[in-house]
Every structure is written in structure tokens, then in C-alpha cells.
């Protein structure tokens, strides 16, 4: 007589995920494989994420990858190895994408707010100061700023409001009359002819009027045709409505001469 191997056929009736072990002749026991749990007849895959979040940080996602195996990945807004995740402050890098003249505040995990600092206006992503400051920050208008400085004109640094018509920098750099005006002491008059006091006039406002008086004292004629605003029948407004705290800047393609 030979002993009956209870595991010989159909894994002894054990689960396919179990090991059949012979005990005494004709008897066996079923033991679930590593990563599975059960009585051996029925073996269920262990999901480690169901117990203690798989050892992952509370701010991580636990993902089962196999029997009793899982990976931990930090949630959006956090960094780390998944076992430990630390909050990433959006404002800690590049001011959270806010303007350099704004205050960045973390609100929720993946949110932040941008608020312009005092004496600046805007949506926080873009913040503008007074128009005197803004002239220097734009290459189209920076040359006008330098002419104001060299002529010691700081009118538009005041509370305003002002409207200024700025000849584009390349126009001011190339016009041969500039040197002559400087030599004759006329540059300050020319510059002030591009400024209007006591009003912050947007493009749409300018379409409704025909004359405005400059800080120089002479009037500027305005005409509107074919969707263009023309000053003194020669200078066209090519960029408009750069609003600062004390007024608005318009860029023109010609120098206005009083």
C-alpha cells in the first residue's frame, strides 16, 4: 500500500493562490501564498492601502500594484517620497507667478491670490505704479522717460490725474529735431505738449472730444476716423490705455510740436 497524496490532484482542492501541503496520509493543509489572505481554499489578494493607508503619508495617494504591494505618490501641491509629503507653497517660487509689485498669499492646496502692493494697481499678476514709473518699464516709452529726467520734468510723478501721449522710443531716437530743441532749450516745452492734466482719458474717452489743452498750454486737436485716433492730423495712437495709479499712457507714432 502507498500513502495517498492529497495534494496530487487539483492542488488538493486548495486555491490556485495557495500552497497545498501534505500532512498525514490522505490529508493536507492549504496555506495562502505571500500577499494573499484566507483559509487556503479561498485566498484573496491583500490590498495594503486598506490598512493604515499602506504606510503612505495622509497627503499621498496609495495605489496597489500587486499582492500586498503598493506605491505612495504625494498629492498635487505636495512633494516627497510618498511616505512623507510636505506642502509646496506656491508663493515660494517666483512669487507664485504674481507681479514683483504684488503680495502672493497661499489660500488652498493648489491656489494662491495676488494682490498689488500699496501705490500699485492691477490684477496682481500685472501691477502698475504711477505713469512716471511705468514709462521706464516699457521699451516703447522709456526714451520719453529719459528726456523727462534730463529736462528735470517730474510733473507726472504727482497725484494727477494725467493723460500723456508718448512718441515711441525709436521715433525719439531718430528724429533730427530733438538735438536742435535741446540746444535751444525748447525740449521741456515739447515734452509738456505731450501731457494733459486733470484728466485720465482712455481711448474711448478721446473718441468723443475734439480738443484738449496740454500742460504746455497749447491745444491738441483730436480726430477719429477709420477706427484710428489722430492727434493734430499727423500722430496716430498706436498703443493705448496703459493705466497707472495717476493717469493713462498712450503711445503715438509721431512727435507733437507746439
Amino acid at each position: 500500500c502507498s500513502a495517498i497524496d492529497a495534494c496530487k490532484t487539483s492542488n488538493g482542492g486548495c486555491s490556485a493562490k495557495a500552497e497545498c501541503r501534505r500532512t498525514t496520509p490522505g490529508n493536507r493543509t492549504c496555506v495562502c501564498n505571500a500577499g494573499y489572505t484566507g483559509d487556503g481554499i479561498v485566498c484573496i489578494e491583500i490590498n495594503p492601502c486598506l490598512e493604515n493607508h499602506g504606510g503612505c503619508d495622509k497627503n499621498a495617494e496609495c495605489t496597489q500594484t500587486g499582492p500586498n504591494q503598493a506605491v505612495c505618490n504625494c498629492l498635487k501641491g505636495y512633494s516627497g517620497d510618498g511616505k512623507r509629503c510636505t506642502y509646496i507653497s506656491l508663493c515660494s517660487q517666483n512669487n507664485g507667478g504674481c507681479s514683483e509689485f504684488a503680495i502672493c498669499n497661499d489660500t488652498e492646496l493648489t491656489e494662491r491670490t495676488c494682490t498689488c502692493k500699496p501705490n500699485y494697481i492691477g490684477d496682481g499678476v500685472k501691477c502698475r505704479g504711477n505713469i512716471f514709473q511705468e514709462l521706464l518699464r516699457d521699451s516703447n516709452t522709456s526714451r520719453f522717460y529719459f528726456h523727462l529726467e534730463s529736462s528735470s520734468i517730474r510733473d507726472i510723478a504727482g497725484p494727477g490725474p494725467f493723460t500723456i501721449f508718448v512718441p515711441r522710443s525709436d521715433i525719439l531716437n531718430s528724429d533730427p529735431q530733438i538735438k536742435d530743441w535741446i540746444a535751444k532749450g525748447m525740449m521741456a516745452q515739447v515734452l509738456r505738449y505731450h501731457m494733459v492734466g486733470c484728466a485720465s482719458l482712455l481711448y474711448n474717452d478721446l473718441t468723443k472730444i475734439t480738443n484738449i489743452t496740454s500742460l504746455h498750454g497749447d491745444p491738441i486737436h483730436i480726430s477719429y476716423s477709420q477706427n484710428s485716433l489722430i492727434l493734430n492730423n499727423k500722430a496716430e495712437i498706436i498703443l493705448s490705455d496703459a493705466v497707472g495709479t495717476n493717469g493713462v499712457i498712450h503711445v503715438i507714432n509721431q512727435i507733437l510740436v507746439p
Side-chain angles (χ1 to χ4, degrees), residues 24-195:
T24 57
N27 295 306
R28 57 92 179 99
T29 185
C30 300
V31 180
C32 291
N33 294 336
Y36 293 84
T37 184
D39 60 5
I41 305 299
V42 176
C43 294
I44 300 172
E45 190 173 288
I46 297 172
N47 182 353
C49 296
L50 298 178
E51 184 176 346
N52 195 32
H53 198 41
C56 301
D57 188 273
K58 66 177 182 178
N59 294 308
E61 181 181 33
C62 181
T63 305
Q64 184 184 4
T65 57
N68 205 27
Q69 295 177 324
V71 293
C72 304
N73 293 300
C74 293
L75 298 173
K76 186 178 181 180
Y78 293 85
S79 66
D81 60 5
K83 298 290 185 182
R84 184 173 181 180
C85 300
T86 54
Y87 174 61
I88 301 171
S89 168
L90 294 179
C91 295
S92 66
Q93 299 177 353
N94 195 33
N95 201 30
C98 302
S99 164
E100 62 181 306
F101 304 112
I103 297 168
C104 180
N105 283 309
D106 289 293
T107 51
E108 298 177 16
L109 296 183
T110 57
E111 300 292 332
R112 58 92 179 96
T113 60
C114 303
T115 307
C116 293
K117 294 177 180 178
N119 300 319
Y120 288 88
I121 59 171
D123 59 7
V125 177
K126 287 186 177 181
C127 295
R128 294 180 293 275
N130 68 50
I131 54 177
F132 189 65
Q133 295 170 306
E134 292 306 307
L135 288 173
L136 184 59
R137 294 175 61 193
D138 187 333
S139 61
N140 284 312
T141 58
S142 57
R143 193 64 191 163
F144 191 80
Y145 172 89
F146 291 124
H147 280 298
L148 291 177
E149 282 282 44
S150 62
S151 299
S152 299
I153 298 175
R154 299 187 63 87
D155 306 54
I156 57 173
F162 301 99
T163 301
I164 58 173
F165 303 101
V166 181
R168 204 173 54 209
S169 290
D170 61 321
I171 305 294
L172 289 171
N173 283 332
S174 61
D175 195 306
Q177 299 177 95
I178 298 288
K179 288 184 179 179
D180 189 43
W181 288 333
I182 293 173
K184 294 179 179 178
M186 295 173 55
M187 195 61 193
Q189 299 172 49
V190 173
L191 293 171
R192 283 199 170 95
Y193 187 52
H194 292 77
M195 307 176 192

Side-chain angles (χ1 to χ4, degrees), residues 163 199-209 229 237 240-243 247-250:
T163 301
S200 182
L201 300 168
L202 298 175
Y203 190 93
N204 190 52
D205 300 322
L206 294 170
T207 64
K208 302 170 185 175
I209 54 180
L229 270 174
I237 295 179
S240 63
D241 295 353
V243 178
V248 60
I249 300 169
H250 302 287

Side-chain angles (χ1 to χ4, degrees), residues 2-8 12 20-29:
S2 59
I4 297 173
D5 183 353
C7 294
K8 187 175 182 180
C20 181
R21 296 177 183 174
R22 294 170 59 189
T23 52
T24 57
N27 295 306
R28 57 92 179 99
T29 185

